């Protein structure tokens, strides 16, 4: 099974592709960051859509794991803007026939580290360990995207979750 995790953003969107192979082992196939060049929202969204389509075409995943909206009531505009990015990512997946699964940040952290309030550093270190990467996955957008893919692999394949 091949899974792409996507950490959506308008400035930087991280993606990470993993394969679940024999005995539930996971291998990182690719990871990167999409950084739309334009300052104008419609152009950013178009570039994000086009680049996500290109990644989906190149790697042909079985599923896309997407981070759910997270914001505080003090910053509702952030949630609205992030909804735009999530929308074009979901559209790209739909156009390629890739099912989309949404995961809350706390669910993602709990699946990866065993604790729903884990720090970015803890998530990053566990992603490195689980995928047997020689270095920490950076930036945070990439480690979060890979963590989303791992989280979906656990949920989809019934792999045992980590315990604290």
């Amino acid at each position: 099974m091949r899974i792409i995790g996507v950490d959506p953003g308008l400035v930087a969107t991280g993606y990470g592709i993993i394969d679940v192979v024999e005995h539930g082992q996971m291998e990182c196939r690719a990871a990167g960051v999409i950084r739309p060049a334009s300052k104008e929202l419609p152009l950013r969204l178009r570039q994000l859509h086009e680049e996500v389509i290109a990644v989906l075409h190149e790697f042909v995943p079985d599923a896309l794991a997407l981070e759910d909206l997270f914001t505080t009531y003090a910053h509702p505009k952030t949630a609205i803007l992030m909804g735009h990015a999530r929308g074009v990512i979901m559209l790209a997946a739909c156009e390629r026939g890739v099912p989309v699964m949404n995961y809350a940040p706390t669910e993602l952290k709990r699946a990866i580290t065993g604790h729903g309030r884990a720090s970015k550093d803890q998530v990053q270190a566990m992603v490195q360990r689980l995928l047997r990467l020689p270095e920490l996955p950076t930036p945070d957008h990439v480690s979060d995207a890979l963590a989303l893919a791992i989280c979906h692999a656990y949920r989809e394949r019934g792999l045992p979750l980590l315990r604290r």
Side-chain angles (χ1 to χ4, degrees):
M1 173 178 238
R2 179 165 288 174
I3 304 164
I4 180 171
V6 180
D7 180 32
L10 290 172
V11 174
T13 292
Y15 66 89
I17 296 109
I18 66 166
D19 286 343
V20 181
V21 295
E22 292 181 29
H23 309 295
Q25 292 285 330
M26 293 173 275
E27 297 176 354
C28 180
R29 287 290 162 231
V33 179
I34 298 168
R35 296 183 190 277
S38 178
K39 300 267 187 223
E40 296 179 42
L41 181 61
L43 297 176
R44 279 179 187 257
L45 294 172
R46 182 178 73 192
Q47 184 178 353
L48 178 58
H49 178 263
E50 289 170 351
E51 292 195 34
V52 170
I53 284 280
V55 171
L56 295 174
H57 178 74
E58 180 178 352
F59 292 98
V60 193
D62 299 302
L64 186 147
L66 185 62
E67 188 172 62
D68 219 343
L69 286 177
F70 173 76
T71 187
T72 62
Y73 289 113
H75 301 96
K77 186 175 180 180
T78 301
I80 293 167
L81 290 172
M82 290 304 294
H84 293 351
R86 291 181 80 251
V88 298
I89 292 164
M90 285 190 268
L91 175 62
C94 183
E95 289 173 345
R96 297 291 305 169
V98 178
V100 176
M101 307 304 162
N102 296 288
Y103 294 98
T106 53
E107 183 178 5
L108 157 69
K109 292 174 182 180
R110 190 170 37 256
I112 300 301
T113 68
H115 189 292
R117 301 244 185 255
S119 70
K120 292 261 187 200
D121 291 341
Q122 290 170 312
V123 170
Q124 194 177 38
M126 284 304 296
V127 167
Q128 179 186 18
R129 182 174 151 227
L130 291 168
L131 295 175
R132 297 173 312 285
L133 300 172
E135 298 176 353
L136 286 173
T138 57
D140 290 345
H141 301 295
V142 167
S143 59
D144 288 350
L146 288 167
L148 282 157
I150 294 167
C151 177
H152 182 68
Y154 284 146
R155 299 291 188 232
E156 184 68 19
R157 305 292 286 193
L159 299 174
L161 295 179
L162 297 174
R163 298 287 177 225
R164 189 169 180 200

